Amino acid sequence: MWNLRLPAILLGGLLAVVPLGCDSKAKVNYADVEGSVTLNGKVVPGAEVTFYPIVEGTEAIPYATGRTDDSGHYRLTVNSKQSGAAVGKSRAVVNWPARERSEDKGAQKRPPFDIPIRFTVASQTPLEVEVKAGGPNTINLPMTAP
């Protein structure tokens, strides 16, 4: 009989802890974000823009992505279901999209110029931005290279 009570006590203890863990997650708020990307004053068409939220601890907040059009303009979404980006501070990364594999190697154009490496890595980017709650945010990303 004692052998049956111990698993029941342990299971009851686990069930009592589980709801606390679920309720402790913070709700993430989103706001619309758009802007332009430039390098040395010239627009950067076809680049991928990613905002990585800066958080304390181990909480994971979804990142937001977008792609610049021919005029260097971008608009961010999260998982293609939620428009905008998480409210708060983020590190902005600008990079060329991954090249698709193709039988015809000449079919895909090489980017017209290199984006400096410091803008392509979240831990090195100097582009720290703040997404504000409420209205749409216009966050331009000016990059410079020697």
Side-chain angles (χ1 to χ4, degrees):
M1 177 133 166
W2 187 83
N3 288 341
L4 294 176
R5 289 181 72 205
L6 185 59
I9 292 169
L10 290 175
L11 181 60
L14 286 174
L15 291 176
V17 171
V18 170
L20 292 174
C22 293
D23 291 340
S24 67
K25 287 192 175 189
K27 183 177 179 336
V28 178
N29 293 316
Y30 297 96
D32 288 338
V33 177
E34 63 180 287
S36 295
V37 179
T38 57
L39 178 61
N40 294 334
K42 296 182 181 180
V43 298
V44 181
E48 191 170 276
V49 176
T50 307
F51 278 27
Y52 293 100
I54 300 171
V55 296
E56 293 182 21
T58 59
E59 184 179 1
I61 297 177
Y63 60 87
T65 61
R67 187 163 295 178
T68 58
D69 61 17
D70 289 341
S71 65
H73 184 263
Y74 72 92
R75 178 169 281 131
L76 296 179
T77 61
V78 178
N79 298 330
S80 71
K81 296 179 183 179
Q82 171 70 50
S83 66
V87 171
K89 292 185 179 185
S90 288
R91 288 186 175 92
V93 170
V94 180
N95 210 340
W96 296 118
R99 294 179 73 166
E100 295 178 17
R101 292 183 179 228
S102 172
E103 294 295 322
D104 182 12
K105 303 263 186 217
Q108 199 164 20
K109 289 177 151 182
R110 179 173 160 73
F113 50 84
D114 291 329
I115 296 172
I117 192 80
R118 69 182 180 273
F119 296 105
T120 66
V121 180
S123 63
Q124 296 179 11
T125 184
L127 300 172
E128 286 193 12
V129 299
E130 184 166 1
V131 176
K132 296 186 180 183
N137 291 263
T138 299
I139 301 176
N140 296 322
L141 303 173
M143 302 182 293
T144 56

